[in-house]
Amino acid sequence: MRHLLSTHDLSRGAAIQILDTAEEMAAVTEREVKKLPALRGRTVVNLFFEDSTRTRISFEAAAKRLSADVINFAAKGSSVSKGESLKDTAQTLEAMSADAVVIRHGSSGAPQRLADSGWIDAAVINAGDGTHEHPTQALLDAFTMRRHWSALRGIGSTGSDIAGLRIAIAGDVLHSRVARSNVWLLHTLGAEVTLVAPPTLLPLGVETWPCRVSYHLDETLEAGVDAVMMLRVQGERMHAAFFPSEREYSRRWGFDDARLARLDALGLKDTIIMHPGPMNRGLEISSAAADSPRSTVLEQVRNGVSVRMAALYLLLSGGLGDHPPADSGRTQDNSNRREADS
Ligand code: ASP
Ligand code: CP
């Protein structure tokens, strides 16, 4: 593979290769000297047309830990505000000999366009495009889950899998590229995903996705879950009213203090609470939940560096998907079950 654009088209072999390589990278980031010479002389451009804290910083840290040169480009303050096109911006960066372009863009499909256009030779990595995909977020989420369950089972993470785990992804699915990338990747890795959202925040066609759908967070928790991934309510993408009030949203779909206590009452002692960040504390997640020992929010951020090191290294060394572990293909059938009816 030359580019990393989505998890939809990522084979199980390539996904596991990234996760296993990320384990090796994690070992490096735990050393006193956190640097490898692997990408010395190569240039990574971070091309961010949308705001970011975690993704931009962790791609920068990842590239630097691999000894690459890094150019950070934010659309704000650039000639994009003078009307410069994506093509001209990309070619300007290409003229600076970029080997990899990490792009975040408000338009779904912009990274694909860049990869297909022939405007540039660099490897393209999607760092979040519109409401479409955010593949490295899903990979770092899977990495976090895999580490957690391997530790519980007392086995090493490398090569272990997350098949059969029950994952609830709850909240603003409609606007979430994180949800889309996670559904595809978790399905490929054999986990069982349930999306939980109000009907107004589910995309058209969700019944064709390889997951269950529910409108009721409490019912989903009661059925038993190994991880609950809360999604941010993406106000910046909402141009209409999608729920009656924030109070109502938080009561029905937020992970509040009562639901945190409920996990204990349900005997779900190993269930983790995830959030990609940034969080709206008090809306989709309470502070007690976000800061509880069950929360993996900061672990996810930490793991993001290792996963992005792995992605950059494999793409720039030309090795992604070349020697994948035995690929058993998608481990579940594509049957979809819409459970909720109201
Ligand atoms: N940071 C993630 C994204 O850019 C999730 C979010 O913003 O809610 O997609
Ligand atoms: N999770 C995530 O993508 O965070 P940022 O938007 O801060 O990069």
Side-chain angles (χ1 to χ4, degrees):
M1 284 174 74
R2 279 206 60 217
H3 309 290
L4 179 56
L5 302 174
S6 78
T7 58
H8 195 175
D9 54 10
L10 200 62
S11 70
R12 179 177 161 79
I16 289 177
Q17 190 187 16
I18 295 173
L19 299 181
D20 286 350
T21 307
E23 280 298 340
E24 293 170 35
M25 298 301 175
V28 173
T29 63
E30 277 149 28
R31 293 198 316 222
E32 203 180 319
V33 179
K34 298 180 171 53
K35 261 196 149 157
L36 286 177
L39 298 184
R40 188 177 289 151
R42 315 296 291 275
T43 301
V44 175
V45 174
N46 284 326
L47 188 55
F48 277 66
F49 291 87
E50 258 195 5
D51 295 344
S52 168
T53 297
R54 283 146 280 269
T55 312
R56 191 179 54 75
I57 289 174
S58 68
F59 265 113
E60 181 175 354
K64 285 182 171 164
R65 285 181 190 175
L66 292 169
S67 307
D69 295 322
V70 184
I71 298 173
N72 286 317
F73 171 95
K76 273 182 206 148
S78 76
S79 288
V80 169
S81 59
K82 301 176 197 163
E84 190 161 31
S85 67
L86 176 60
K87 176 180 175 179
D88 288 335
T89 306
Q91 287 184 328
T92 302
L93 297 166
E94 178 81 348
M96 293 175 193
S97 312
D99 295 291
V101 173
V102 176
I103 176 170
R104 169 169 288 192
H105 203 284
S107 300
S108 301
Q112 183 85 50
R113 177 90 183 101
L114 200 56
D116 293 346
S117 60
W119 300 333
I120 60 170
D121 280 335
V124 177
I125 302 184
N126 181 1
D129 61 328
T131 57
H132 176 229
E133 283 230 28
H134 192 350
T136 57
Q137 177 71 44
L139 284 159
L140 74 87
D141 291 336
F143 183 84
T144 304
M145 292 175 203
R146 194 172 82 148
R147 280 202 140 187
H148 184 76
W149 275 285
S150 305
L152 280 177
R153 291 179 198 138
I155 57 173
S157 311
T158 305
S160 76
D161 69 23
I162 56 170
L165 289 180
R166 301 154 303 173
I167 319 292
I169 302 180
D172 181 2
V173 177
L174 179 64
H175 301 105
S176 178
R177 51 200 180 200
V178 173
R180 280 168 186 73
S181 285
N182 263 290
V183 165
W184 293 115
L185 181 66
L186 290 169
H187 173 63
T188 297
L189 295 175
E192 293 169 17
V193 179
T194 303
L195 294 175
V196 190
T200 48
L201 286 176
L202 284 166
L204 279 178
V206 71
E207 58 284 347
T208 65
W209 297 11
C211 58
R212 299 172 194 231
V213 177
S214 168
Y215 303 145
H216 308 290
L217 184 52
D218 289 323
E219 282 177 15
T220 306
L221 298 181
E222 275 155 31
V225 286
D226 297 300
V228 190
M229 185 185 297
M230 301 309 297
L231 300 172
R232 183 171 65 90
V233 173
Q234 303 202 12
E236 78 278 20
R237 299 192 204 280
M238 292 183 179
H239 307 294
F242 287 89
F243 45 85
S245 67
E246 292 198 347
R247 199 183 150 103
E248 173 78 353
Y249 182 90
S250 160
R251 193 178 63 77
R252 295 189 62 183
W253 294 286
F255 204 94
D256 57 9
D257 296 1
R259 292 192 171 102
L260 180 62
R262 191 129 177 75
L263 290 185
D264 292 331
L266 290 167
L268 296 171
K269 69 177 176 34
D270 297 323
T271 299
I272 55 172
I273 302 167
M274 308 180 76
H275 193 301
M279 296 182 278
N280 291 311
R281 287 174 182 254
L283 182 53
E284 74 267 359
I285 190 165
S286 70
S287 277
D291 300 332
S292 80
R294 292 179 184 273
S295 167
T296 59
V297 171
L298 293 177
E299 208 177 311
Q300 288 167 262
V301 175
R302 214 167 12 252
N303 291 338
V305 178
S306 310
V307 166
R308 287 166 179 138
M309 284 173 80
L312 284 169
Y313 170 71
L314 289 169
L315 284 171
L316 290 185
S317 61
L320 181 57
D322 279 357
H323 305 288
D327 190 341
S328 54
R330 295 184 188 258
T331 51
Q332 287 182 295
D333 67 23
N334 261 339
S335 58
N336 306 295
R337 290 143 295 190
R338 179 179 275 268
E339 289 194 314
D341 56 4
S342 63

